[in-house]
Structure formats: structure tokens, C-alpha cells
Amino acid sequence: MNSAHAVDRFWQQARAARPDLPEERPEAWAFGATPEHADDLLELVLRGIKTGTASSLWDCEHDGEPVPEPGSLSIILDGRDVPRALIRTTDVQIVPFNEVTADHAAAEGEGDRTLADWQQGHRYFWEHYSTDPRGFALDMPVVCERFEVVWAPREDVQPA
């Protein structure tokens, strides 16, 4: 089954389970830069550990991608582009990299969940995977997004 068909089918299932969802299918995307990273981060989402994410505002602007807004929905894909979860953005703050809080770092659920670990991992990520030519800077604007899982197939949800 191709990815577009799988995403359409997932959206139909989500809407059947949650009739309050809008008709228009949200964007589908995966966390991380590699299939393995996408799977690891998705597992944290499904276990209820990862409730936040961060992106470079520069990358959003460079790629023509909108900044998420509270209430917006996203279909989260695994590393093979299979849709596995529907999330809703609950909060968005844009702050310089060096002002991201320890609370946000913990919400991302990665590594040891400390700010130092978050800074090291995200600095590496943006130095190596940024699509904007500016790459990384200590004062670069970071989109700090918080979200909640709205729906996932029952077999995908794992205990925290």
C-alpha cells in the first residue's frame, strides 16, 4: 500500500473513531532525520513520554512550511512512512535556542531528558540536517511545540 493511500485510510479510521475530527486530512510527517530516529521518537509518543518537539524557524521559512498553531492536527508516520498516531498541537512558543527551557527539553522525552542533553542533541541535529543554509546558531529561533495524542490504533498505544 502506498503512503498516500495508507494516510487516507488512517484518516478514515481516525474519523470513524473520533467523529468530532474535521473532514480535511491534516499533514502527515515523521519525527527525526532517519527512519530509525522516526521509529524511536514515535515509540516515545505512543508511550506518552514525548509530548513536545522543536523545529528550526529558519528551516520552516526556508522550506515554506507553516509554523504549527495550537489546535492544529498532524498525522505522525513511522520510519517506513506508515501512519501511526494523530496529534494535536496544544502550545507553541518561539524562543532563541539558548532560551529553550528545561521543562520543554523534558517534554521532548529524549535521552536523559535534561536541558544539556537536549541542547547537545538538537545542536547536532541542526548542524547536520538543517535545510536552511544558516544551519545552527545559539540565538536561532526555535519553534517549541507541545502536543497531545488524539488518536492511535489501539495496538499502537503502549503503557508509559
Side-chain angles (χ1 to χ4, degrees), residues 39-132:
D39 286 343
D40 290 346
L41 297 177
L42 173 65
E43 180 181 338
L44 294 174
V45 170
L46 294 172
R47 291 178 54 206
I49 295 168
K50 181 174 181 61
T51 60
T53 193
S55 54
S56 162
L57 181 61
W58 292 344
D59 286 351
C60 292
E61 293 169 348
H62 181 264
D63 298 339
E65 293 183 8
V67 173
E69 297 179 3
S72 60
L73 298 169
S74 297
I75 296 171
I76 304 303
L77 306 173
D78 67 15
R80 295 167 311 286
D81 292 333
V82 174
R84 301 276 304 279
L86 176 67
I87 63 171
R88 176 181 291 121
T89 300
T90 58
D91 186 60
V92 176
Q93 304 291 323
I94 300 175
V95 299
F97 176 87
N98 56 5
E99 292 181 25
V100 171
T101 66
D103 181 57
H104 184 80
E108 289 211 29
E110 300 173 53
D112 65 10
R113 300 178 76 179
T114 64
L115 181 57
D117 189 66
W118 182 94
Q119 289 171 333
Q120 179 182 11
H122 284 74
R123 180 180 188 142
Y124 178 88
F125 181 88
W126 286 315
E127 286 176 343
H128 292 88
Y129 297 106
S130 181
T131 58
D132 184 88

Side-chain angles (χ1 to χ4, degrees), residues 11 15 19-26:
W11 185 238
R15 290 197 67 231
D20 58 315
L21 293 172
E23 282 188 41
E24 185 177 342
R25 188 191 85 194

Side-chain angles (χ1 to χ4, degrees), residues 1-18 21 23 25-26 28 75 77 81-86 151-153 155-156:
M1 170 176 354
N2 72 31
S3 182
H5 180 70
V7 171
D8 287 340
R9 185 165 180 257
F10 177 90
W11 185 238
Q12 291 169 355
Q13 292 171 338
R15 290 197 67 231
R18 294 282 312 263
L21 293 172
E23 282 188 41
R25 188 191 85 194
I75 296 171
L77 306 173
D81 292 333
V82 174
R84 301 276 304 279
L86 176 67
W151 185 79
E155 65 271 11
D156 283 341

